[in-house]
Amino acid sequence: GLDFKIKENIEFLEGVIIASRDFSDKENKLELIVQDTEGDSLRVNKIFSKLDITSVDIIVTNEYGPSLRAINKLAMTNNIPLFSAAINTTEIVQSNPNAYALVPSSLLQCELMGVVSSSIFKNSNCLFLKTGISREDERGEAFIDGWMGSSKQVSVKKVKFSSGYTKAVKDSMSKVRQNVLFVPTSNEDIISTLLSSLRELTGDYKVAVIGLPTWLYSQSIDPVLFDTCNAWLFSAGYVDFKNPEVSDFRIKFRDHYHTEPSETAYLG
């Protein structure tokens, strides 16, 4: 099959194409210019140097990192609205008053996950796996803020990641209440080891595991573990399938490409 990134880019482009058709009519003609940055910030500058920049009304991109920084800088310089559809790009574009991040920052996502989780798992024993990696621990604190701010429940227990962390998790669990464990890491070795350990405890403990959206794209984690450990994986975006515009987009996408649109296509 196609490389994941290539597939993601193609689906994003397909979404952009369908959306541009929806906004085009006899009185409103849209010209769509597609450019491949090849993930190279220097190529971004070359692309812009060859364009008639005065004819560009809007930039939509799913680039990130150095390439997005270059795009954002050029968009700001030329006062062109920029829509960023990649994950974790809020910090890159936040200084641009004409830029819009279509996906919330990872910290905001985790905070909202805490809010929703507290409403789903009322009166539960909530644990947070503290890995010691600053970015991951920040996500955990954001989750706690959402959980505590929404529910006013008792404090969340923090379980430090160490050589004996599986025992530490068990020692912090309750036999009479639902145990909700938030794991703010994408490290598949840690996730697999933790879920395998929890699988052995599901007979004596009621468990739910809250994972990051990145878990959806895991390559080595046994999917059965997700079911066994009652894993809840949130989406980085939000698609209201009851919205008539969303339904219309799904129909057009399926009719044209004979497959279901992915979240990447919706962002496009």
Side-chain angles (χ1 to χ4, degrees):
L2 287 173
D3 176 81
F4 172 76
K5 189 59 185 177
I6 295 175
K7 183 173 182 290
E8 188 179 58
N9 286 336
I10 291 174
E11 290 179 345
F12 178 75
L13 176 59
E14 289 168 345
V16 171
I17 291 173
I18 289 179
S20 65
R21 288 172 182 160
D22 287 346
F23 287 101
S24 292
D25 53 39
K26 293 181 179 179
E27 298 179 357
N28 183 35
K29 290 292 184 181
L30 295 182
E31 181 182 4
L32 182 63
I33 302 174
V34 181
Q35 296 286 348
D36 181 7
T37 68
E38 299 178 3
D40 186 347
S41 58
L42 294 178
R43 177 164 169 73
V44 171
N45 293 319
K46 290 181 181 178
I47 290 172
F48 272 79
S49 66
K50 295 179 180 179
L51 287 176
D52 176 9
I53 204 67
T54 60
S55 67
V56 179
D57 298 309
I58 186 173
I59 299 172
V60 182
T61 180
N62 65 340
E63 279 288 2
Y64 52 90
S67 295
L68 178 59
R69 293 183 191 279
I71 294 171
N72 184 56
K73 182 178 179 180
L74 290 163
M76 287 182 66
T77 301
N78 295 282
N79 200 32
I80 303 172
L82 169 66
F83 288 82
S84 172
I87 63 173
N88 294 330
T89 61
T90 305
E91 293 180 358
I92 296 178
V93 303
Q94 64 183 357
S95 61
N96 184 350
N98 289 322
Y100 304 86
L102 302 182
V103 179
S105 68
S106 60
L107 292 182
L108 178 56
Q109 288 179 47
C110 290
E111 181 179 346
L112 294 175
M113 287 161 63
V115 172
V116 175
S117 297
S118 69
S119 65
I120 295 174
F121 302 104
K122 290 183 172 65
N123 302 315
S124 296
N125 177 41
C126 186
L127 299 86
F128 148 47
L129 186 67
K130 191 176 177 68
T131 65
I133 299 174
S134 59
R135 190 62 176 172
E136 294 178 356
D137 289 348
E138 285 177 3
R139 292 170 183 159
E141 295 297 339
F143 180 89
I144 291 173
D145 288 343
W147 178 283
M148 297 296 295
S150 174
S151 64
K152 308 298 182 185
Q153 298 187 51
V154 294
S155 60
V156 176
K157 297 178 183 177
K158 299 179 183 180
V159 182
K160 290 186 178 180
F161 173 78
S162 65
S163 57
Y165 77 99
T166 51
K167 181 180 183 301
V169 170
K170 181 179 179 180
D171 291 343
S172 300
M173 292 172 69
S174 169
K175 281 195 172 184
V176 296
R177 297 163 62 198
Q178 168 86 58
N179 295 282
V180 179
L181 178 61
F182 176 58
V183 188
T185 183
S186 296
N187 186 309
E188 295 190 15
D189 289 337
I190 294 177
I191 299 167
S192 291
T193 302
L194 176 66
L195 294 181
S196 295
S197 299
L198 289 175
R199 177 176 55 188
E200 306 302 320
L201 303 175
T202 53
D204 298 318
Y205 297 87
K206 192 175 182 180
V207 177
V209 178
I210 310 298
L212 299 179
T214 52
W215 290 21
L216 292 167
Y217 310 111
S218 63
Q219 299 294 316
S220 61
I221 304 173
D222 183 355
V224 175
L225 288 173
F226 288 152
D227 291 331
T228 305
C229 298
N230 190 21
W232 291 64
L233 307 183
F234 288 78
S235 170
Y238 175 70
V239 179
D240 180 6
F241 291 103
K242 295 180 181 179
N243 187 310
E245 291 185 2
V246 172
S247 298
D248 185 51
F249 175 80
R250 286 185 75 189
I251 293 170
K252 289 180 179 178
F253 194 98
R254 288 187 297 193
D255 286 348
H256 192 79
Y257 298 109
H258 309 291
T259 186
E260 192 73 18
S262 67
E263 185 174 84
T264 304
Y266 283 110
L267 289 172

